[in-house]
Amino acid sequence: MQITVTLNGRRCTDEVAPDMTLYSYLRQKGCYSVKCGCETSSCGLCTVHFDGKPVLSCSMLAVRADGHSVTTLEGVEQEALEFGKFLADEGGEQCGFCSPGFIMNVLAMVKELPDPTDEQIKHYLAGNLCRCTGYQSHLRAIKKYLAAKQKEAVR
Amino acid sequence: MFSAQQYVKATSLQQALELNQKRSSAILGGGCWMRLGKKNYATLIDLSGLGLDTIEETPEEIVLGAMVTLRQLETSPVLAAAFGPLFARMTEHIVGVQFRNCATLGGSVVSRFGFSDIITGLLALDCEVELVQKGRVSLADYVQMPYDRDVLARVILKKNGRRAWYESFRNTETDLPVLNCAVSCLNGSARVVVGARPARAVMQEFGQMPSEQRLQEMLDKTEFGSNMRAGAEYRRQLAGVLCRRAIEQVKGDAECR
Ligand SMILES: Cc1cc2nc3c(=O)[nH]c(=O)nc-3n(C[C@H](O)[C@H](O)[C@H](O)COP(=O)(O)OP(=O)(O)OC[C@H]3O[C@@H](n4cnc5c(N)ncnc54)[C@H](O)[C@@H]3O)c2cc1C
Ligand code: FES
Ligand code: FES
C-alpha cells in the first residue's frame, strides 16, 4: 500500500504493509522518540498527534494515516523543550521513559483546554502511565508551565 | 498484534458486507481491541472512507456513524444537549483521551462486551442499530443476538426527551469497570440497566420510578459473578448503591418524580 503522510510538516510517500502500525512506521521514518510501552493499548507512551489530536500510534495502522498529518515529539521540539524544563525542575522526569508520550499529550491538552482545572488535567492525562513519579511532580510542572504561558500571553 | 495480508478501504457498505462474509476478513474499527489479539486476517476492511464518522441530528433522531470515536461521544454538544452528561459519564473513564480518539462506537457496540460502559449507557435510551444486511434492530434485541458477519453502519437514538443518568465504579482509574448502571425515565415510566456484572448488561422496565423495594426485587433476581476485579456479593451491594444514586439523579428532573 502506498501512503502519503504529512509527517512533522514534511510530505512523505511510502510503501507500507497492510498490518504495519503507525508506531512502526514512525520508527522506520527515524522518529525514535515514539516508543511502545505495552501490548494492551493502555500506557500512552506511543502518543502522537493525528491531525492535531492525540492518538495511540501502537493501535492505529499506518494505512490510516494516508492523507493525514502526524506530529511526533521531533516535530514540536521547541514546545517540548519549554515544557521539559518545568518537568525536570519539578523532578517529574525520573527514568524519563514515559516522557515522550506524556509531553505529547500535555501539548495536546494545552491546545484543547487553555485554562484547565486540576480535575481536568488529571482526567486528560489519565491515560499516560508513569511508574516512577506518583504524578504529583507532573501536576506541579503542568501548573507552573500553564501559569508561565499565561503570564507571557498577558505581556 | 494481529497480522493482515490485504487492506481494502471500502467504497460502499455493500462492498464491505460482501468482503466481510469470509471468515478470514474483519472490519477494522479503531483497532484498539483487535490489537490485543494475534489473529491472522486475509482482508481488513476499512469503513473510514464512507463518512461514518459524524453525529447527525434530525427532528426525531440522532444518527451516529459506526466510525464515531468514543471521544466524539464524550464531547459532542448535540449529545449533551439531548441527554445531558450521559455520554460524557459513560465514556470518560475508558482508558485515556488518546485511546478514546481511536476506539470507535461501531467496534464497541458490535463487540457487546459484558463490561461495556457503552452498551449499558445506550440501553438506557431508545436506541437502534442499523446493520447493512439485517437493517434496523433495537439494541435490546441486538445484544441478545449471536455474533455474525453483518456490518454495523450506524447507531440511532430517538430524541423523545428521555432523561438518563449513568454511574460506574472502577477499582482504579482507566481500569475496566467493576460494575456500571444507567437509569432513565420517559413519561413517568422508568428503565434500569445493570452491566459489568461482569456478564452482559440486563435491563428492566418499571411503570414508575422504582421504589426501594421494587429495585431490590430486580437486583435479587439479577445474577452477579466473580472475577479478578470483584466478587459476586460485592457487585450486588455495589449495584444497589449505584442504582440508587442514578435514580436520585433522574428524579431530580421534575417529569420523573
Ligand atoms: C485496554 C482496553 C481497555 C478498555 N476499557 C474499556 C472500559 O473500561 N469500558 C468500555 O466500555 N470499553 C473498554 N474497552 C473497549 C473499548 O471501549 C472498545 O469497545 C474496543 O476497543 C473496541 O473498539 P475498537 O474501535 O477499538 O474496535 P476494533 O478493535 O477495531 O474491533 C473490535 C471488533 O469489532 C469488529 N468491528 C468493528 N467495527 C465494526 C463494524 N462497524 N461492523 C462490524 N464489525 C465491526 C472488528 O472486526 C472486531 O472484531 C477497552 C479496550 C481496551 C483495549
Ligand atoms: S504502547 Fe502502550 S498504549 Fe500504545
Ligand atoms: S519517569 Fe519513569 S516512568 Fe515516568
Side-chain angles (χ1 to χ4, degrees):
Chain A
M1 283 275 316
Q2 197 183 62
I3 60 169
T4 300
V5 183
T6 306
L7 173 56
N8 294 329
R10 255 188 41 229
R11 252 171 85 94
C12 306
T13 298
D14 290 288
E15 199 60 41
V16 297
D19 53 7
M20 184 183 224
T21 60
L22 179 59
Y23 156 75
S24 301
Y25 172 71
L26 294 171
R27 298 276 303 181
Q28 189 184 293
K29 297 298 287 177
C31 300
Y32 297 122
S33 73
V34 191
K35 295 183 186 69
C36 181
C38 74
E39 298 295 328
T40 54
S41 322
S42 52
C43 74
L45 179 56
C46 62
T47 304
V48 300
H49 297 174
F50 186 88
D51 293 339
K53 288 194 194 121
V55 298
L56 301 177
S57 63
C58 71
S59 299
M60 189 181 268
L61 291 183
V63 284
R64 276 266 167 89
D66 185 33
H68 294 271
S69 97
V70 177
T71 308
T72 69
L73 198 69
E74 285 84 354
V76 287
E77 234 171 306
Q78 201 49 44
E79 290 130 292
L81 202 66
E82 205 185 318
F83 174 65
K85 277 195 193 122
F86 287 89
L87 197 59
D89 282 350
E90 294 302 324
E93 203 163 53
Q94 294 289 314
C95 78
F97 195 63
C98 65
S99 294
F102 177 68
I103 293 174
M104 287 311 282
N105 210 26
V106 168
L107 297 179
M109 175 186 76
V110 171
K111 288 217 181 77
E112 207 173 317
L113 312 169
D115 189 18
T117 62
D118 283 15
E119 273 318 303
Q120 284 175 315
I121 295 173
K122 286 187 197 166
H123 179 233
Y124 205 98
L125 299 169
N128 290 87
L129 304 188
C130 171
R131 293 209 144 185
C132 305
T133 62
Y135 306 107
Q136 292 307 310
S137 47
H138 283 177
L139 195 58
R140 285 197 304 273
I142 290 167
K143 286 164 75 171
K144 289 194 177 168
Y145 171 66
L146 286 170
K149 271 181 85 81
Q150 261 169 11
K151 231 178 177 178
E152 221 173 79
V154 172
R155 250 197 258 132
Chain B
M1 185 65 195
F2 58 83
S3 58
Q5 269 64 62
Q6 194 198 352
Y7 164 92
V8 179
K9 196 160 176 176
T11 52
S12 72
L13 282 165
Q14 208 53 44
Q15 182 203 17
L17 177 67
E18 275 159 32
L19 289 170
N20 200 37
Q21 293 318 299
K22 284 222 173 107
R23 283 181 59 138
S24 54
S25 300
I27 305 282
L28 177 69
C32 300
W33 189 264
M34 287 170 75
R35 185 219 170 195
L36 308 190
K38 295 204 177 352
K39 281 198 188 146
N40 183 5
Y41 300 105
T43 308
L44 285 180
I45 307 152
D46 188 350
L47 307 180
S48 70
L50 301 177
L52 294 173
D53 59 347
T54 57
I55 299 177
E56 279 163 15
E57 198 174 11
T58 70
E60 291 89 35
E61 296 174 334
I62 296 174
V63 181
L64 312 165
M67 294 302 290
V68 163
T69 65
L70 303 190
R71 182 74 175 157
Q72 280 176 277
L73 297 180
E74 181 184 1
T75 56
S76 159
V78 171
L79 291 175
F83 304 110
L86 179 77
F87 279 86
R89 291 183 64 83
M90 75 196 209
T91 50
E92 67 190 355
H93 301 293
I94 301 176
V95 196
V97 167
Q98 309 97 304
F99 179 94
R100 299 196 294 280
N101 273 329
C102 298
T104 61
L105 173 64
S108 302
V109 171
V110 168
S111 300
R112 289 165 271 178
F113 298 117
F115 59 75
S116 181
D117 292 295
I118 311 296
I119 295 284
T120 297
L122 289 177
L123 279 174
L125 301 177
D126 300 294
C127 175
E128 290 180 327
V129 296
E130 183 189 321
L131 303 165
V132 178
Q133 193 164 39
K134 288 188 273 299
R136 278 198 186 197
V137 177
S138 83
L139 181 66
D141 288 339
Y142 184 63
V143 292
Q144 304 295 338
M145 284 160 52
Y147 294 108
D148 64 12
R149 309 220 57 86
D150 211 338
V151 176
L152 187 135
R154 296 175 186 87
V155 171
I156 300 121
L157 305 170
K158 208 173 255 164
K159 255 178 28 187
N160 52 7
R162 188 179 274 279
R163 306 279 173 225
W165 189 260
Y166 189 82
E167 291 284 337
S168 66
F169 179 82
R170 284 169 164 75
N171 288 331
T172 181
E173 189 61 30
T174 77
D175 192 12
L176 296 181
V178 171
L179 196 99
N180 53 44
C181 83
V183 171
S184 68
C185 145
L186 177 67
N187 303 329
S189 344
R191 185 184 300 162
V192 176
V193 190
V194 179
R197 305 173 293 119
R200 263 184 210 174
V202 290
M203 58 193 262
Q204 188 172 326
E205 304 277 352
F206 296 86
Q208 61 195 67
M209 239 342 139
S211 62
E212 180 61 33
Q213 194 193 338
R214 295 294 307 280
L215 175 67
Q216 201 52 55
E217 283 164 13
M218 172 187 174
L219 296 177
D220 287 345
K221 276 190 307 193
T222 304
E223 249 179 73
F224 292 92
S226 300
N227 63 5
M228 64 185 276
R229 290 191 170 74
E233 209 33 51
Y234 181 68
R235 281 201 163 88
R236 184 176 296 284
Q237 297 294 325
L238 209 50
V241 173
L242 297 187
C243 287
R244 270 177 228 119
R245 282 185 194 164
I247 288 170
E248 283 312 309
Q249 284 291 340
V250 176
K251 272 195 195 159
D253 212 287
E255 283 169 41
C256 300
R257 262 170 225 150

